[in-house]
Amino acid sequence: MSECAPGVIRKLDEVVVNRIAAGEVIQRPANALKEMLENSLDAKCSQITVTVRSGGLKLLQIADNGTGIRQEDLQIVAERFTTSKLKDFKDLSSIATYGFRGEALASISHVAHLSILTKTRDSACGYKAQYMDGKLTGTPKPMAANQGTTITVEDLFYNVPNRLGALKSHTEEFNKISEVMTRYAVHNSGVGFTLKKAGETGVEVKTQSQNSIVDNIRALYGPAVAKELVEFKLEDSRYKFQVKGWVSNVNYSVKKMVFLLFINHRLVDSTALRKSIETVYASYLPKGMSPFIYLSLEIAACNVDVNVHPTKHEVFFLHQDAIIEKIQQGLEEKLLNSNASRTFYTQKLLPGAGATLEILEPKSKLEKTIAPKDFVRTDSSDQKLDKFLVRSDVKDVKETKIPEPDSVNTPEFRECKLSSIKILRQKFQEASSSIAREMFSAHIFVGCVNRKLALFQHSTKLYLANTTKLSQHLFRQLMLRDFGNLGVLKLDPAPSIRELALIALDLPEAGWKEEDGSKDDLAEYVVSTLLQHKEMLDDYFSLQIDNIDGEHCIVGLPLLLDDYCPWLAGLPLYVLRLSTEVNYEDEAECFRTMIEETARFYKVPGVEGARVDLEQHSTPEEEKDYKFVVEHVVYPAFKKYLLPPASCLTDKSLLQIANLPDLYKVFERC
Ligand code: ADP
Ligand code: MG
């Protein structure tokens, strides 16, 4: 036959189709068991006995004392999509029982020999029926029986050799069965569970119907874990869910997490939930160790994906992230309390302490521990805002200063009596935000995003701060605070004012036009304006001008912040603007505009506008220096001094970009 000849398309035999479909639903004995356990529980039984041979492959029998199946229904129970639990499509959204597809028995009948012995309360006797490929074979035979149903599954996958071959060992299949059984037994404390191997006298799993959940955990997982369990309960009306369960406290740990999760009473797994629980415990348990967790989560039926494939152990549900976060928070609280109780245990063990009333302090008295995801460093020294604007005790400030070789600090502190400055300070203070101040006072610098923006953390939140804008504000503030007392930043060699003005006039920002007059004339005007106010500029702002070899030069600039030098490429424009933008006519206006221009020059340059070239042209060395200054000079100054304007909270110069608990959530998923 030619390789290229098209394959013949044949309609698959219906039996084969059903068998393939069944193999999808039932992949191993434990899947079949789970479906049948749920059927028994749906039938409101109080006792379930499971008997297994060869890992469930030879025999898997499940006997319950539930309602039984009516004789007339035996005809159809094993047909696909027959169920007593769903009459209408709309029932799908409110279904409270586990199975609703009517697929389990049908599937089993396609891949095994299935027989059902059942008796209802009202029936005089029981009936035994056998099924093959979804159909009843023969007629149900009357037979003596107790109330309830016994379903026998034999020779599982006898007609699906591939599936049979894929299953590794009987032991492994048995262990899986035992695990499913154990978990359902813990969850269904009103039902007695027994798991036996056929032909053996001992039982593998056994619980009594009157036992509590903790009794069951003790019986099945051992007393070591049972004595370290704490009850966990949570209800949430917003996301319509409720959690109940038992979780191990900080005194208990195992290598591999034991995680029993039931959602709407169906045994499932959720990797997302598992991981977030592991992270919560990671900070309490020894490295690499895990907890024991049993959780029963009930979610409003409308939030459950009813279409989840029956073998899909892994589930997803609506509002999953929010629900998981709530559970995480709840667990965190539980553990904090159980941590406190550990402190209590050790206290009791101290020699001479004895179990006196003194030791039996309520938990609330024990120091409240902070969850790791809420760990923050705080600097909560109470401070008044005016402290940031009036430098009353210069000695105190001086002590914190590192001597600056190129600067000369003002020898004497002069108290500023100028009312114009007092008013400016008052306005400054009124416009400031104490919330933002608090944020900066206790922030932790994270890193520079670029020249303009940096990240910092405060409390459990991450903020994006506009370094440029905020530094400009800081320099305004420092000038107001240290008005008349500023140190000097010496410039050597001192640049000529005229030359600086000429350089500035060549810059596009200067916006020079021919009608403004010749550049030389304008430069002369700049020199004479500054000279006219030389004394005032020096006295109040430490801007020093001197005649060097016939040229008027800037010999000193205000030292606003130790170890901080303004970006000197901005000096020409600063000098030019001092003559054009500062209003020397009015005292208050003069100070305000002078402060404004100086802060503008001193700010950490951003990347916007004309200075876009900065980042592009700077060498890696410069880039490193700039980052160093921002981290080690500017932000520490923000921390110490900055009184941010309230506007920074609205104009995006301070933006909250993340909440740590949210980030935890995100990273845990990765
Ligand atoms: P589903 O559970 O989705 O309805 P199944 O194929 O698992 O579908 O079961 C089909 C029907 O058989 C059930 O709806 C129920 O009426 C009946 N049934 C199965 N097992 C039992 C049992 N152990 N006790 C009583 N009724 C049962
Ligand atoms: Mg079912």
Side-chain angles (χ1 to χ4, degrees), residues 35-36 39-40 42-43 64 67-69 77 82-85 99-106 149 151:
E35 293 300 325
M36 292 191 290
N39 282 345
S40 294
D42 280 348
D64 67 55
T67 56
I69 302 169
V77 280
T82 57
T83 173
S84 57
K85 300 161 196 169
F100 52 83
R101 293 157 207 276
E103 259 183 298
L105 289 184
T149 306
I151 298 188

Side-chain angles (χ1 to χ4, degrees), residues 227-434:
K227 75 174 168 52
E228 304 293 356
L229 291 177
V230 284
E231 193 169 15
F232 182 68
K233 277 187 177 170
L234 195 79
E235 238 187 291
D236 189 281
S237 51
R238 178 154 175 223
Y239 297 108
K240 300 199 184 76
F241 76 92
Q242 182 190 309
V243 190
K244 284 184 193 155
W246 289 88
V247 299
S248 59
N249 65 24
V250 296
N251 299 325
Y252 177 84
S253 61
V254 264
K255 275 242 160 66
K256 196 164 177 287
M257 178 166 165
V258 182
F259 185 39
L260 282 66
L261 175 66
F262 287 80
I263 295 185
N264 294 357
H265 305 286
R266 193 174 167 93
L267 178 66
V268 293
D269 198 2
S270 157
T271 308
L273 183 56
R274 178 190 286 268
K275 282 193 174 166
S276 43
I277 291 173
E278 263 178 345
T279 349
V280 172
Y281 274 86
S283 40
Y284 296 94
L285 301 185
K287 198 166 186 291
M289 298 300 272
S290 301
F292 171 94
I293 305 286
Y294 155 64
L295 291 182
S296 169
L297 175 57
E298 286 184 60
I299 306 177
C302 59
N303 288 349
V304 185
D305 183 358
V306 291
N307 258 329
V308 171
H309 196 273
T311 55
K312 287 278 183 296
H313 212 44
E314 177 80 28
V315 292
F316 301 94
F317 39 96
L318 225 61
H319 310 305
Q320 178 164 309
D321 288 2
I323 292 176
I324 288 178
E325 194 187 341
K326 294 261 175 202
I327 294 176
Q328 244 188 325
Q329 282 168 1
L331 278 177
E332 194 92 61
E333 257 167 52
K334 266 283 162 218
L335 292 183
L336 288 174
N337 284 336
S338 78
N339 216 10
S341 75
R342 178 158 59 177
T343 317
F344 168 68
Y345 287 150
T346 46
Q347 274 178 352
K348 213 159 89 175
L349 293 174
L350 290 176
T356 62
L357 281 176
E358 226 175 46
I359 303 167
L360 298 169
E361 278 181 355
K363 275 175 191 164
S364 60
K365 271 205 159 183
L366 297 163
E367 201 184 323
K368 175 141 172 53
T369 335
I370 301 164
K373 72 179 164 62
D374 294 325
F375 267 150
V376 283
R377 274 197 286 165
T378 50
D379 176 7
S380 54
S381 49
D382 267 0
Q383 287 170 323
K384 284 199 183 143
L385 293 188
D386 57 8
K387 176 180 170 286
F388 297 96
L389 282 167
V390 185
R391 201 163 143 182
S392 55
D393 187 359
V394 78
K395 251 199 193 149
D396 188 45
V397 177
K398 266 190 176 163
E399 269 168 15
T400 65
K401 284 194 172 187
I402 312 147
E404 167 69 46
D406 284 328
S407 69
V408 181
N409 284 330
T410 39
E412 280 294 304
F413 172 69
R414 296 182 298 173
E415 198 192 327
C416 177
K417 292 203 172 80
L418 292 167
S419 61
S420 52
I421 287 296
K422 284 184 178 162
I423 292 167
L424 282 175
R425 282 176 182 166
Q426 200 189 331
K427 279 190 184 160
F428 196 95
Q429 192 181 319
E430 280 164 8
S432 69
S433 154
S434 53

Side-chain angles (χ1 to χ4, degrees), residues 358-641:
E358 226 175 46
I359 303 167
L360 298 169
E361 278 181 355
K363 275 175 191 164
S364 60
K365 271 205 159 183
L366 297 163
E367 201 184 323
K368 175 141 172 53
T369 335
I370 301 164
K373 72 179 164 62
D374 294 325
F375 267 150
V376 283
R377 274 197 286 165
T378 50
D379 176 7
S380 54
S381 49
D382 267 0
Q383 287 170 323
K384 284 199 183 143
L385 293 188
D386 57 8
K387 176 180 170 286
F388 297 96
L389 282 167
V390 185
R391 201 163 143 182
S392 55
D393 187 359
V394 78
K395 251 199 193 149
D396 188 45
V397 177
K398 266 190 176 163
E399 269 168 15
T400 65
K401 284 194 172 187
I402 312 147
E404 167 69 46
D406 284 328
S407 69
V408 181
N409 284 330
T410 39
E412 280 294 304
F413 172 69
R414 296 182 298 173
E415 198 192 327
C416 177
K417 292 203 172 80
L418 292 167
S419 61
S420 52
I421 287 296
K422 284 184 178 162
I423 292 167
L424 282 175
R425 282 176 182 166
Q426 200 189 331
K427 279 190 184 160
F428 196 95
Q429 192 181 319
E430 280 164 8
S432 69
S433 154
S434 53
I435 297 170
R437 166 67 210 146
E438 155 61 27
M439 237 178 248
F440 278 103
S441 74
H443 85 269
I444 300 159
F445 184 81
V446 173
C448 291
V449 175
N450 55 26
R451 280 182 176 266
K452 192 166 100 180
L453 303 169
L455 288 170
F456 73 83
Q457 187 193 323
H458 174 261
S459 177
T460 58
K461 295 176 176 122
L462 190 63
Y463 292 88
L464 188 62
N466 187 322
T467 311
T468 303
K469 266 197 179 174
L470 292 165
S471 64
Q472 187 169 357
H473 198 73
L474 174 76
F475 291 123
R476 278 185 202 117
Q477 177 189 338
L478 292 177
M479 266 189 294
L480 271 178
R481 190 193 71 166
D482 295 349
F483 186 85
N485 291 292
L486 291 162
V488 183
L489 193 66
K490 288 277 182 203
L491 296 185
D492 189 16
S496 132
I497 298 175
R498 199 176 47 81
E499 277 173 24
L500 286 171
L502 284 171
I503 293 169
L505 285 164
D506 282 340
L507 294 171
E509 295 100 302
W512 177 82
K513 294 184 286 305
E514 243 165 87
E515 56 264 40
D516 296 336
S518 85
K519 286 182 181 176
D520 282 329
D521 290 352
L522 288 170
E524 272 318 313
Y525 167 78
V526 173
V527 176
S528 69
T529 310
L530 296 197
L531 276 182
Q532 261 176 50
H533 306 286
K534 183 172 176 277
E535 267 75 49
M536 185 276 294
L537 290 174
D538 182 9
D539 199 18
Y540 292 150
F541 297 103
S542 302
L543 182 79
Q544 298 179 340
I545 297 168
D546 209 352
N547 189 328
I548 299 173
D549 303 328
E551 272 291 317
H552 294 289
C553 299
I554 306 273
V555 294
L557 287 171
L559 177 75
L560 301 185
L561 187 62
D562 286 319
D563 297 319
Y564 186 85
C565 177
W567 181 64
L568 288 174
L571 183 61
L573 211 56
Y574 173 59
V575 164
L576 177 68
R577 288 177 67 101
L578 284 185
S579 70
T580 58
E581 307 300 317
V582 175
N583 177 348
Y584 294 96
E585 304 303 312
D586 175 88
E587 182 188 287
E589 262 308 279
C590 170
F591 293 157
R592 193 191 65 78
T593 48
M594 180 66 197
I595 286 170
E596 204 47 50
E597 287 307 315
T598 310
R600 190 189 153 101
F601 167 42
Y602 273 65
K603 72 181 179 202
V604 174
V607 286
E608 78 281 72
R611 288 176 176 177
V612 91
D613 59 306
L614 251 183
E615 208 157 44
Q616 289 159 4
H617 290 234
S618 56
T619 64
E621 256 334 279
E622 283 165 354
E623 208 51 30
K624 229 170 77 194
D625 286 355
Y626 141 81
K627 281 189 175 146
F628 184 89
V629 168
V630 168
E631 177 172 355
H632 297 284
V633 180
V634 178
Y635 275 79
F638 283 179
K639 185 173 208 152
K640 226 166 149 185
Y641 310 116

Side-chain angles (χ1 to χ4, degrees), residues 134-171:
K135 298 266 179 334
L136 176 72
T137 54
T139 45
K141 291 188 188 75
M143 202 172 276
N146 293 324
Q147 187 197 317
T149 306
T150 300
I151 298 188
T152 308
V153 177
E154 285 166 294
D155 304 316
L156 187 59
F157 303 130
Y158 74 96
N159 52 0
V160 196
N162 285 350
R163 176 70 67 197
L164 204 55
L167 298 175
K168 289 191 197 93
S169 76
H170 292 176
T171 316

